[in-house]
Amino acid sequence: MAETGEIGGSGVEPPLSELLAQRTLDAAPLLLGRMLRVGERAGRIVEVEAYEGADDPASHAANGPTSRSEVMFGPVGVLYVYRIYGMHWCANVVSHGPGQPGAILIRALEPTEGVEQMWTDRPKARRPTDLCSGPGKLCAALGIEGRHNGVDLLNPDSPVSIAPSTDRSDSEVPASSATSVVCGPRIGITKAADRPWRFAEADNAHVSRPPPTTVSKG
DNA sequence: GACAAGATTGACT
DNA sequence: GTCAATCTTGTCC
């Protein structure tokens, strides 16, 4: 699963649709280093969490499809957006193997484009690393809301899309290249909280909280 | 129809 | 480090 150490900058990358059409747990770390774009704003994914189906009590899909979670049962590469604690939005990428529900929660981004707009939408952030260092924070910074639920991330023309990692030669904020991936327990859950299904770049300051366990190095 | 829980964040001590 | 804010969703009766 997460034994893939090198991310971003390794040259040729498989199609995203191919990466997402496998077990959520396997696909999650492969999202690290890719670019999440919302209009003029974009950032590099540096932290994710995997949520599977019936075998994962913490997942919204654990008890079968509901009006909220039905997106997780649909085609991969779709954006699943839901409101948490009545205040914040959380963004997930639908990813699962055949006949299985699942989604990957995007927990943190490294802002690369449209940073000024992010500051406008997140005036309470104290430093650049606070802009997108949390699922609710990054949704606010990028302007992701409930209306984006169900958007096809694989379509570059969609209002929200995921692109392969780039050399970021024209980005506003310099970003690190290939790095090591670490994993640890998921945050903020009470069920199946011991599963190390959170993946992050080891040395990235934009991560919401650095996982303790190093899985592999690059 | 009513109630409880929740994949978070930011302010306060 | 601790705790309140806020409201949607899901479950139970």
Side-chain angles (χ1 to χ4, degrees):
Chain A
M1 41 178 260
E3 276 74 24
T4 304
E6 291 284 340
I7 58 173
S10 58
V12 178
E13 298 181 36
L16 186 60
S17 57
E18 192 174 303
L19 295 183
L20 297 176
Q22 57 184 316
R23 189 181 177 190
T24 312
L25 195 54
D26 295 333
L30 302 179
L31 273 185
L32 296 175
R34 291 181 179 261
M35 305 296 293
L36 179 66
R37 174 175 295 280
V38 184
E40 300 297 310
R41 291 174 259 193
R44 193 162 156 271
I45 300 172
V46 298
E47 183 183 358
V48 298
E49 282 181 2
Y51 289 89
E52 296 195 321
D55 293 338
D56 182 5
S59 172
H60 288 174
N63 297 321
T66 65
S67 58
R68 177 176 65 170
S69 67
E70 61 181 359
V71 175
M72 293 177 69
F73 293 77
V76 303
V78 168
L79 185 66
Y80 168 41
V81 182
Y82 66 90
R83 202 192 261 290
I84 184 69
Y85 294 106
M87 290 172 273
H88 309 290
W89 296 104
C90 290
N92 300 250
V93 180
V94 176
S95 168
H96 51 73
Q100 288 285 328
I104 301 167
L105 172 69
I106 302 175
R107 286 195 58 92
L109 296 178
E110 181 176 320
T112 58
E113 296 179 44
V115 178
E116 284 191 15
Q117 288 185 60
M118 295 184 191
W119 278 109
T120 300
D121 281 353
R122 280 211 16 92
K124 291 181 180 178
R126 295 182 179 181
R127 60 192 74 175
T129 51
D130 283 339
L131 271 177
C132 300
S133 60
K137 294 177 183 179
L138 72 88
C139 283
L142 270 65
I144 296 176
E145 298 174 337
R147 61 190 168 92
H148 293 119
N149 189 41
V151 163
D152 180 12
L153 294 168
L154 304 180
N155 183 352
D157 296 327
S158 294
V160 186
S161 62
I162 291 182
S165 56
T166 69
D167 61 2
R168 297 174 301 282
S169 57
D170 58 344
S171 66
E172 300 172 19
V173 177
S176 58
S177 56
T179 182
S180 58
V181 174
V182 295
C183 75
R186 294 175 293 185
I187 295 176
I189 59 175
T190 56
K191 304 167 187 171
D194 57 328
R195 300 185 188 182
W197 288 3
R198 183 163 68 106
F199 304 92
E201 292 190 359
D203 52 357
N204 196 301
H206 298 266
V207 167
S208 64
R209 247 193 283 174
T213 308
T214 299
V215 168
S216 60
K217 298 188 90 173

